[in-house]
Amino acid sequence: MLEVLEGGLRTTVQDMGRRGGQALGIPPSGAQDGFALRIANLLVGNPAGGPLVVRDDPGVAGLEITLGRLKLRALEEHAVALTGADTGATVDGEAAPCWSSFVLRRGQTLACGLARSGARACLAVHGGIDVPLYRGSRATHVSGGFGGLEGRPLAPGDRLPVGAATAPAGELAGRWLRPDLVPRYAPPAHVRVVAGPEAHHFTAESVEAFYATAWKLNPKADRTGMRFIGPQLSFKPGRPRYLVEDAGVDPSNIVIDPGAPVGTIQVPSGVEPIVLCVDSPSIGGYARIAVAISTDMARLGQIRPFEETRFVRVSHEDAVAILARQEALIADPAIIV
């Protein structure tokens, strides 16, 4: 059991998300940086789970700590691991390791400061955060008010139940992610994308600008969508009359509201491309210039306000190969030392 002393700027219970709900308007939710959460779980002896594009396995729930300031007290002894953003975490005032497992003893306090690098830290505990399942997942969707702990961010006084341990905490301590695999979050971020279904609606100059620009993250970005500040993009003139009649006069509108998977990049009115994230709607009516590949949603989740991001085009075949390499890596026990 963990007691929340300070909930932080925004901390929620997350696993790798729920599958099969988008047809009902239910987003997958789950960790913005799924790689960080999966590694944290491996470090404490939990199943890695996910990603949902490969299999229906949300894995074990942990905490997603946005920009820091979380403070917890252990009411029992637990093996825990922090990954993702560096929050300068301490245990009873002493520095706690990142990307490594350690024992949080009964009565000790784990405190996270403001993130110094990256935007989201993940905390895993052996046995997982044992909140009720909702549609097969423990992921929190705050605006929908479901999943996680009562569908909301953590608050002082909350108590988080932890699943049954299968090994003593001490046996799980001192495990590290292989150092060469620890992500670096220094800007600019390079996010790989495939061409979007309506990329041909944009002028050639705008497509070129999309890939050449160092976009800056709008501070209003959240788990629903991440807006990027940069040049306005233009659309080709001379749209067929039926497009204007059925979709409206804005050239970014498209006739139907197609499915919008996580990673879809829409450009309403050609202003500020929006990357749809894990809590995003399941449909959208704006031209899609690109789609971020699933592996690189983790890097997107670590971008801080006003940090620069560059989008790098890859082929669909490359995207599949990159995902396969990541899954082979996570399945390799040698990555934990």
Side-chain angles (χ1 to χ4, degrees):
M1 180 79 71
L2 298 170
E3 180 185 8
V4 179
L5 304 179
E6 295 179 17
L9 299 181
R10 191 179 183 90
T11 303
T12 54
V13 177
Q14 300 293 345
D15 53 22
M16 287 299 292
R18 52 186 52 84
R19 191 174 190 177
Q22 287 189 289
L24 303 174
I26 299 173
S29 298
Q32 279 274 87
D33 183 347
F35 179 81
L37 178 61
R38 296 173 76 191
I39 295 298
N41 272 319
L42 288 177
L43 288 168
V44 297
N46 293 334
L52 299 186
V53 295
V54 176
R55 56 185 177 276
D56 188 7
D57 179 8
V60 174
L63 299 181
E64 179 180 270
I65 308 160
T66 302
L67 295 176
R69 293 298 193 193
L70 175 70
K71 186 180 288 186
L72 301 171
R73 179 187 292 125
L75 303 183
E76 301 168 3
E77 183 172 275
H78 297 291
V80 301
L82 278 165
T83 57
D86 178 7
T87 63
T90 61
V91 174
D92 287 351
E94 299 292 327
C98 196
W99 300 95
S100 175
S101 59
F102 58 95
V103 176
L104 189 63
R105 304 191 185 282
R106 183 193 300 267
Q108 287 188 320
T109 297
L110 172 67
C112 298
L114 283 174
R116 302 182 291 199
S117 173
R120 292 174 173 85
C122 291
L123 176 69
V125 54
H126 178 61
I129 303 299
D130 192 19
V131 294
L133 289 165
Y134 179 81
R135 295 189 63 86
S137 167
R138 294 180 170 87
T140 308
H141 183 52
V142 174
S143 60
F146 56 80
L149 185 68
E150 302 173 355
R152 60 172 174 80
L154 302 188
D158 287 338
R159 291 196 170 194
L160 300 171
V162 175
T166 58
E171 291 184 4
L172 298 167
R175 294 150 56 99
W176 295 80
L177 176 66
R178 208 172 71 203
D180 61 298
L181 300 178
V182 174
R184 304 288 183 256
Y185 301 133
H190 288 83
V191 175
R192 292 165 291 189
V193 303
V194 296
E198 289 82 41
H200 61 285
H201 286 195
F202 296 82
T203 63
E205 294 78 12
S206 288
V207 172
E208 181 179 354
F210 175 76
Y211 292 109
T213 297
W215 299 91
K216 293 185 177 181
L217 182 65
N218 188 315
K220 294 181 179 180
D222 59 19
R223 286 170 48 89
T224 299
M226 300 177 71
R227 288 179 172 268
F228 287 89
I229 303 166
Q232 181 162 352
L233 304 181
S234 300
F235 298 85
K236 292 178 180 177
R239 295 196 307 161
R241 182 176 177 82
Y242 76 89
L243 287 179
V244 175
E245 292 176 344
D246 294 341
V249 296
D250 191 309
S252 67
N253 291 348
I254 51 182
V255 176
I256 60 173
D257 287 350
V262 171
T264 295
I265 304 177
Q266 298 180 333
V267 195
S269 302
V271 179
E272 294 196 358
I274 304 172
V275 181
L276 300 186
C277 296
V278 291
D279 284 346
S280 66
S282 53
I283 59 174
Y286 298 105
R288 301 162 289 179
I289 194 168
V291 180
I293 68 174
S294 60
T295 56
D296 287 21
M297 291 303 298
R299 184 64 185 93
L300 276 159
Q302 295 295 351
I303 301 170
R304 300 158 64 91
F306 297 114
E307 284 186 345
E308 291 186 346
T309 299
R310 291 185 177 272
F311 297 107
V312 180
R313 183 170 176 174
V314 298
S315 68
H316 288 82
E317 293 77 14
D318 286 341
V320 172
I322 291 165
L323 177 59
R325 287 197 296 271
Q326 176 189 269
E327 292 309 292
L329 185 71
I330 291 176
D332 183 357
I335 67 170
I336 304 298
V337 297

